[in-house]
PDB file of all heavy atoms in Angstrom:
ATOM      1  N   TYR K 108     -21.522   4.390 -25.214  1.00  0.00           N
ATOM      2  CA  TYR K 108     -21.522   5.581 -24.370  1.00  0.00           C
ATOM      3  C   TYR K 108     -21.901   6.831 -25.170  1.00  0.00           C
ATOM      4  O   TYR K 108     -21.825   6.849 -26.392  1.00  0.00           O
ATOM      5  CB  TYR K 108     -20.146   5.771 -23.730  1.00  0.00           C
ATOM      6  CG  TYR K 108     -19.755   4.634 -22.827  1.00  0.00           C
ATOM      7  CD1 TYR K 108     -19.006   3.563 -23.302  1.00  0.00           C
ATOM      8  CD2 TYR K 108     -20.174   4.609 -21.504  1.00  0.00           C
ATOM      9  CE1 TYR K 108     -18.671   2.508 -22.472  1.00  0.00           C
ATOM     10  CE2 TYR K 108     -19.840   3.557 -20.672  1.00  0.00           C
ATOM     11  CZ  TYR K 108     -19.086   2.503 -21.155  1.00  0.00           C
ATOM     12  OH  TYR K 108     -18.765   1.464 -20.339  1.00  0.00           O
ATOM     13  N   ASN K 109     -22.245   7.883 -24.444  1.00  0.00           N
ATOM     14  CA  ASN K 109     -22.652   9.144 -25.074  1.00  0.00           C
ATOM     15  C   ASN K 109     -21.486   9.919 -25.681  1.00  0.00           C
ATOM     16  O   ASN K 109     -21.691  10.966 -26.273  1.00  0.00           O
ATOM     17  CB  ASN K 109     -23.425  10.024 -24.090  1.00  0.00           C
ATOM     18  CG  ASN K 109     -22.597  10.463 -22.911  1.00  0.00           C
ATOM     19  OD1 ASN K 109     -21.545   9.904 -22.614  1.00  0.00           O
ATOM     20  ND2 ASN K 109     -23.057  11.486 -22.221  1.00  0.00           N
ATOM     21  N   ASN K 110     -20.269   9.437 -25.542  1.00  0.00           N
ATOM     22  CA  ASN K 110     -19.128  10.102 -26.169  1.00  0.00           C
ATOM     23  C   ASN K 110     -18.667   9.346 -27.425  1.00  0.00           C
ATOM     24  O   ASN K 110     -17.550   9.480 -27.856  1.00  0.00           O
ATOM     25  CB  ASN K 110     -17.981  10.273 -25.174  1.00  0.00           C
ATOM     26  CG  ASN K 110     -17.369   8.945 -24.750  1.00  0.00           C
ATOM     27  OD1 ASN K 110     -17.891   7.877 -25.045  1.00  0.00           O
ATOM     28  ND2 ASN K 110     -16.265   9.011 -24.046  1.00  0.00           N
ATOM     29  N   ASP K 111     -19.575   8.523 -27.952  1.00  0.00           N
ATOM     30  CA  ASP K 111     -19.334   7.753 -29.177  1.00  0.00           C
ATOM     31  C   ASP K 111     -18.245   6.697 -29.029  1.00  0.00           C
ATOM     32  O   ASP K 111     -17.613   6.300 -30.008  1.00  0.00           O
ATOM     33  CB  ASP K 111     -19.010   8.678 -30.369  1.00  0.00           C
ATOM     34  CG  ASP K 111     -20.155   9.616 -30.684  1.00  0.00           C
ATOM     35  OD1 ASP K 111     -21.320   9.231 -30.454  1.00  0.00           O
ATOM     36  OD2 ASP K 111     -19.886  10.733 -31.145  1.00  0.00           O
ATOM     37  N   THR K 112     -18.019   6.222 -27.818  1.00  0.00           N
ATOM     38  CA  THR K 112     -17.103   5.101 -27.596  1.00  0.00           C
ATOM     39  C   THR K 112     -17.931   3.894 -27.167  1.00  0.00           C
ATOM     40  O   THR K 112     -19.103   4.013 -26.820  1.00  0.00           O
ATOM     41  CB  THR K 112     -16.047   5.415 -26.509  1.00  0.00           C
ATOM     42  OG1 THR K 112     -16.714   5.640 -25.262  1.00  0.00           O
ATOM     43  CG2 THR K 112     -15.207   6.616 -26.889  1.00  0.00           C
ATOM     44  N   SER K 113     -17.291   2.746 -27.213  1.00  0.00           N
ATOM     45  CA  SER K 113     -17.965   1.522 -26.767  1.00  0.00           C
ATOM     46  C   SER K 113     -16.913   0.570 -26.218  1.00  0.00           C
ATOM     47  O   SER K 113     -15.716   0.733 -26.460  1.00  0.00           O
ATOM     48  CB  SER K 113     -18.711   0.867 -27.935  1.00  0.00           C
ATOM     49  OG  SER K 113     -17.807   0.470 -28.939  1.00  0.00           O
ATOM     50  N   ASP K 114     -17.370  -0.391 -25.449  1.00  0.00           N
ATOM     51  CA  ASP K 114     -16.508  -1.455 -24.984  1.00  0.00           C
ATOM     52  C   ASP K 114     -17.367  -2.710 -24.795  1.00  0.00           C
ATOM     53  O   ASP K 114     -18.577  -2.662 -24.933  1.00  0.00           O
ATOM     54  CB  ASP K 114     -15.757  -1.075 -23.700  1.00  0.00           C
ATOM     55  CG  ASP K 114     -16.656  -0.749 -22.530  1.00  0.00           C
ATOM     56  OD1 ASP K 114     -17.865  -1.047 -22.568  1.00  0.00           O
ATOM     57  OD2 ASP K 114     -16.159  -0.197 -21.532  1.00  0.00           O
ATOM     58  N   THR K 115     -16.700  -3.824 -24.535  1.00  0.00           N
ATOM     59  CA  THR K 115     -17.429  -5.074 -24.370  1.00  0.00           C
ATOM     60  C   THR K 115     -17.149  -5.683 -23.010  1.00  0.00           C
ATOM     61  O   THR K 115     -16.128  -5.381 -22.391  1.00  0.00           O
ATOM     62  CB  THR K 115     -17.039  -6.101 -25.455  1.00  0.00           C
ATOM     63  OG1 THR K 115     -15.649  -6.379 -25.363  1.00  0.00           O
ATOM     64  CG2 THR K 115     -17.378  -5.593 -26.853  1.00  0.00           C
ATOM     65  N   LEU K 116     -18.075  -6.498 -22.566  1.00  0.00           N
ATOM     66  CA  LEU K 116     -17.864  -7.247 -21.343  1.00  0.00           C
ATOM     67  C   LEU K 116     -18.568  -8.594 -21.461  1.00  0.00           C
ATOM     68  O   LEU K 116     -19.516  -8.753 -22.234  1.00  0.00           O
ATOM     69  CB  LEU K 116     -18.348  -6.479 -20.113  1.00  0.00           C
ATOM     70  CG  LEU K 116     -19.827  -6.248 -19.941  1.00  0.00           C
ATOM     71  CD1 LEU K 116     -20.156  -6.308 -18.459  1.00  0.00           C
ATOM     72  CD2 LEU K 116     -20.189  -4.873 -20.466  1.00  0.00           C
ATOM     73  N   LYS K 117     -18.068  -9.540 -20.695  1.00  0.00           N
ATOM     74  CA  LYS K 117     -18.670 -10.873 -20.678  1.00  0.00           C
ATOM     75  C   LYS K 117     -19.991 -10.808 -19.934  1.00  0.00           C
ATOM     76  O   LYS K 117     -20.107 -10.162 -18.901  1.00  0.00           O
ATOM     77  CB  LYS K 117     -17.751 -11.880 -19.989  1.00  0.00           C
ATOM     78  CG  LYS K 117     -16.512 -12.196 -20.770  1.00  0.00           C
ATOM     79  CD  LYS K 117     -15.659 -13.219 -20.029  1.00  0.00           C
ATOM     80  CE  LYS K 117     -14.389 -13.521 -20.792  1.00  0.00           C
ATOM     81  NZ  LYS K 117     -13.533 -14.465 -20.072  1.00  0.00           N
ATOM     82  N   MET K 118     -20.963 -11.510 -20.468  1.00  0.00           N
ATOM     83  CA  MET K 118     -22.258 -11.601 -19.821  1.00  0.00           C
ATOM     84  C   MET K 118     -22.105 -12.411 -18.536  1.00  0.00           C
ATOM     85  O   MET K 118     -21.352 -13.386 -18.496  1.00  0.00           O
ATOM     86  CB  MET K 118     -23.247 -12.290 -20.770  1.00  0.00           C
ATOM     87  CG  MET K 118     -24.680 -12.194 -20.371  1.00  0.00           C
ATOM     88  SD  MET K 118     -25.765 -13.040 -21.561  1.00  0.00           S
ATOM     89  CE  MET K 118     -25.717 -11.908 -22.933  1.00  0.00           C
ATOM     90  N   ALA K 119     -22.787 -11.996 -17.476  1.00  0.00           N
ATOM     91  CA  ALA K 119     -22.762 -12.696 -16.193  1.00  0.00           C
ATOM     92  C   ALA K 119     -24.198 -13.008 -15.777  1.00  0.00           C
ATOM     93  O   ALA K 119     -25.104 -12.230 -16.077  1.00  0.00           O
ATOM     94  CB  ALA K 119     -22.079 -11.834 -15.132  1.00  0.00           C
ATOM     95  N   PRO K 120     -24.416 -14.134 -15.083  1.00  0.00           N
ATOM     96  CA  PRO K 120     -25.773 -14.471 -14.654  1.00  0.00           C
ATOM     97  C   PRO K 120     -26.453 -13.366 -13.849  1.00  0.00           C
ATOM     98  O   PRO K 120     -27.660 -13.185 -13.934  1.00  0.00           O
ATOM     99  CB  PRO K 120     -25.574 -15.735 -13.805  1.00  0.00           C
ATOM    100  CG  PRO K 120     -24.315 -16.347 -14.325  1.00  0.00           C
ATOM    101  CD  PRO K 120     -23.456 -15.169 -14.725  1.00  0.00           C
ATOM    102  N   SER K 121     -25.685 -12.608 -13.094  1.00  0.00           N
ATOM    103  CA  SER K 121     -26.260 -11.529 -12.281  1.00  0.00           C
ATOM    104  C   SER K 121     -26.867 -10.415 -13.124  1.00  0.00           C
ATOM    105  O   SER K 121     -27.651  -9.604 -12.615  1.00  0.00           O
ATOM    106  CB  SER K 121     -25.192 -10.953 -11.349  1.00  0.00           C
ATOM    107  OG  SER K 121     -24.124 -10.411 -12.114  1.00  0.00           O
ATOM    108  N   MET K 122     -26.550 -10.358 -14.413  1.00  0.00           N
ATOM    109  CA  MET K 122     -27.089  -9.343 -15.305  1.00  0.00           C
ATOM    110  C   MET K 122     -28.444  -9.736 -15.894  1.00  0.00           C
ATOM    111  O   MET K 122     -29.101  -8.928 -16.520  1.00  0.00           O
ATOM    112  CB  MET K 122     -26.137  -9.110 -16.495  1.00  0.00           C
ATOM    113  CG  MET K 122     -24.781  -8.631 -16.137  1.00  0.00           C
ATOM    114  SD  MET K 122     -23.783  -8.633 -17.651  1.00  0.00           S
ATOM    115  CE  MET K 122     -22.262  -7.966 -17.045  1.00  0.00           C
ATOM    116  N   ILE K 123     -28.823 -10.996 -15.705  1.00  0.00           N
ATOM    117  CA  ILE K 123     -29.982 -11.558 -16.410  1.00  0.00           C
ATOM    118  C   ILE K 123     -31.176 -11.702 -15.473  1.00  0.00           C
ATOM    119  O   ILE K 123     -31.052 -12.149 -14.337  1.00  0.00           O
ATOM    120  CB  ILE K 123     -29.643 -12.956 -16.991  1.00  0.00           C
ATOM    121  CG1 ILE K 123     -28.317 -12.931 -17.763  1.00  0.00           C
ATOM    122  CG2 ILE K 123     -30.779 -13.488 -17.851  1.00  0.00           C
ATOM    123  CD1 ILE K 123     -28.238 -11.960 -18.898  1.00  0.00           C
ATOM    124  N   SER K 124     -32.354 -11.362 -15.985  1.00  0.00           N
ATOM    125  CA  SER K 124     -33.600 -11.623 -15.262  1.00  0.00           C
ATOM    126  C   SER K 124     -34.615 -12.210 -16.237  1.00  0.00           C
ATOM    127  O   SER K 124     -34.498 -12.043 -17.445  1.00  0.00           O
ATOM    128  CB  SER K 124     -34.133 -10.341 -14.609  1.00  0.00           C
ATOM    129  OG  SER K 124     -34.416  -9.371 -15.588  1.00  0.00           O
ATOM    130  N   GLY K 125     -35.595 -12.909 -15.680  1.00  0.00           N
ATOM    131  CA  GLY K 125     -36.665 -13.472 -16.502  1.00  0.00           C
ATOM    132  C   GLY K 125     -36.518 -14.945 -16.806  1.00  0.00           C
ATOM    133  O   GLY K 125     -37.404 -15.531 -17.422  1.00  0.00           O
ATOM    134  N   PHE K 126     -35.440 -15.571 -16.361  1.00  0.00           N
ATOM    135  CA  PHE K 126     -35.241 -16.995 -16.638  1.00  0.00           C
ATOM    136  C   PHE K 126     -36.134 -17.838 -15.731  1.00  0.00           C
ATOM    137  O   PHE K 126     -36.127 -17.671 -14.520  1.00  0.00           O
ATOM    138  CB  PHE K 126     -33.770 -17.384 -16.426  1.00  0.00           C
ATOM    139  CG  PHE K 126     -33.488 -18.851 -16.674  1.00  0.00           C
ATOM    140  CD1 PHE K 126     -33.362 -19.306 -17.972  1.00  0.00           C
ATOM    141  CD2 PHE K 126     -33.354 -19.742 -15.624  1.00  0.00           C
ATOM    142  CE1 PHE K 126     -33.091 -20.647 -18.211  1.00  0.00           C
ATOM    143  CE2 PHE K 126     -33.101 -21.081 -15.849  1.00  0.00           C
ATOM    144  CZ  PHE K 126     -32.965 -21.529 -17.156  1.00  0.00           C
ATOM    145  N   ASP K 127     -36.913 -18.733 -16.331  1.00  0.00           N
ATOM    146  CA  ASP K 127     -37.777 -19.649 -15.568  1.00  0.00           C
ATOM    147  C   ASP K 127     -37.823 -20.966 -16.318  1.00  0.00           C
ATOM    148  O   ASP K 127     -38.514 -21.103 -17.319  1.00  0.00           O
ATOM    149  CB  ASP K 127     -39.178 -19.057 -15.431  1.00  0.00           C
ATOM    150  CG  ASP K 127     -40.099 -19.909 -14.567  1.00  0.00           C
ATOM    151  OD1 ASP K 127     -39.731 -21.068 -14.240  1.00  0.00           O
ATOM    152  OD2 ASP K 127     -41.202 -19.444 -14.244  1.00  0.00           O
ATOM    153  N   ASN K 128     -37.084 -21.963 -15.811  1.00  0.00           N
ATOM    154  CA  ASN K 128     -37.005 -23.243 -16.503  1.00  0.00           C
ATOM    155  C   ASN K 128     -38.249 -24.121 -16.314  1.00  0.00           C
ATOM    156  O   ASN K 128     -38.299 -25.241 -16.782  1.00  0.00           O
ATOM    157  CB  ASN K 128     -35.736 -24.012 -16.135  1.00  0.00           C
ATOM    158  CG  ASN K 128     -35.736 -24.507 -14.708  1.00  0.00           C
ATOM    159  OD1 ASN K 128     -36.709 -24.321 -13.964  1.00  0.00           O
ATOM    160  ND2 ASN K 128     -34.650 -25.143 -14.306  1.00  0.00           N
ATOM    161  N   THR K 129     -39.267 -23.605 -15.646  1.00  0.00           N
ATOM    162  CA  THR K 129     -40.497 -24.375 -15.460  1.00  0.00           C
ATOM    163  C   THR K 129     -41.568 -24.010 -16.487  1.00  0.00           C
ATOM    164  O   THR K 129     -42.619 -24.636 -16.540  1.00  0.00           O
ATOM    165  CB  THR K 129     -41.093 -24.174 -14.042  1.00  0.00           C
ATOM    166  OG1 THR K 129     -41.499 -22.815 -13.892  1.00  0.00           O
ATOM    167  CG2 THR K 129     -40.077 -24.540 -12.964  1.00  0.00           C
ATOM    168  N   VAL K 130     -41.313 -22.992 -17.289  1.00  0.00           N
ATOM    169  CA  VAL K 130     -42.284 -22.542 -18.287  1.00  0.00           C
ATOM    170  C   VAL K 130     -41.766 -22.903 -19.682  1.00  0.00           C
ATOM    171  O   VAL K 130     -40.768 -22.358 -20.143  1.00  0.00           O
ATOM    172  CB  VAL K 130     -42.534 -21.025 -18.182  1.00  0.00           C
ATOM    173  CG1 VAL K 130     -43.518 -20.559 -19.245  1.00  0.00           C
ATOM    174  CG2 VAL K 130     -43.010 -20.652 -16.794  1.00  0.00           C
ATOM    175  N   VAL K 131     -42.469 -23.852 -20.350  1.00  0.00           N
ATOM    176  CA  VAL K 131     -42.054 -24.321 -21.665  1.00  0.00           C
ATOM    177  C   VAL K 131     -42.352 -23.245 -22.717  1.00  0.00           C
ATOM    178  O   VAL K 131     -43.379 -22.585 -22.669  1.00  0.00           O
ATOM    179  CB  VAL K 131     -42.791 -25.641 -22.012  1.00  0.00           C
ATOM    180  CG1 VAL K 131     -42.504 -26.073 -23.444  1.00  0.00           C
ATOM    181  CG2 VAL K 131     -42.395 -26.736 -21.030  1.00  0.00           C
ATOM    182  N   GLY K 132     -41.430 -23.104 -23.652  1.00  0.00           N
ATOM    183  CA  GLY K 132     -41.606 -22.180 -24.771  1.00  0.00           C
ATOM    184  C   GLY K 132     -40.493 -21.150 -24.837  1.00  0.00           C
ATOM    185  O   GLY K 132     -39.494 -21.250 -24.121  1.00  0.00           O
ATOM    186  N   LEU K 133     -40.714 -20.154 -25.708  1.00  0.00           N
ATOM    187  CA  LEU K 133     -39.737 -19.081 -25.841  1.00  0.00           C
ATOM    188  C   LEU K 133     -39.819 -18.139 -24.637  1.00  0.00           C
ATOM    189  O   LEU K 133     -40.919 -17.852 -24.157  1.00  0.00           O
ATOM    190  CB  LEU K 133     -39.992 -18.280 -27.116  1.00  0.00           C
ATOM    191  CG  LEU K 133     -39.626 -18.963 -28.430  1.00  0.00           C
ATOM    192  CD1 LEU K 133     -40.003 -18.064 -29.611  1.00  0.00           C
ATOM    193  CD2 LEU K 133     -38.153 -19.319 -28.494  1.00  0.00           C
ATOM    194  N   GLN K 134     -38.675 -17.685 -24.188  1.00  0.00           N
ATOM    195  CA  GLN K 134     -38.618 -16.699 -23.107  1.00  0.00           C
ATOM    196  C   GLN K 134     -37.724 -15.552 -23.551  1.00  0.00           C
ATOM    197  O   GLN K 134     -36.690 -15.768 -24.161  1.00  0.00           O
ATOM    198  CB  GLN K 134     -38.036 -17.301 -21.825  1.00  0.00           C
ATOM    199  CG  GLN K 134     -38.949 -18.223 -21.098  1.00  0.00           C
ATOM    200  CD  GLN K 134     -38.326 -18.720 -19.805  1.00  0.00           C
ATOM    201  OE1 GLN K 134     -37.377 -18.143 -19.267  1.00  0.00           O
ATOM    202  NE2 GLN K 134     -38.879 -19.805 -19.279  1.00  0.00           N
ATOM    203  N   GLU K 135     -38.146 -14.356 -23.217  1.00  0.00           N
ATOM    204  CA  GLU K 135     -37.309 -13.184 -23.468  1.00  0.00           C
ATOM    205  C   GLU K 135     -36.638 -12.830 -22.151  1.00  0.00           C
ATOM    206  O   GLU K 135     -37.320 -12.508 -21.179  1.00  0.00           O
ATOM    207  CB  GLU K 135     -38.160 -12.035 -23.984  1.00  0.00           C
ATOM    208  CG  GLU K 135     -37.317 -10.855 -24.419  1.00  0.00           C
ATOM    209  CD  GLU K 135     -38.141  -9.813 -25.139  1.00  0.00           C
ATOM    210  OE1 GLU K 135     -38.788  -9.001 -24.444  1.00  0.00           O
ATOM    211  OE2 GLU K 135     -38.140  -9.834 -26.383  1.00  0.00           O
TER     212      GLU K 135
END
Side-chain angles (χ1 to χ4, degrees):
Y108 298 94
N109 64 342
N110 66 351
D111 299 329
T112 62
S113 64
D114 61 14
T115 60
L116 68 145
K117 290 181 182 178
M118 193 179 287
S121 61
M122 299 173 177
I123 311 302
S124 61
F126 179 79
D127 184 350
N128 69 2
T129 65
V130 178
V131 174
L133 287 177
Q134 286 183 18
E135 187 170 82

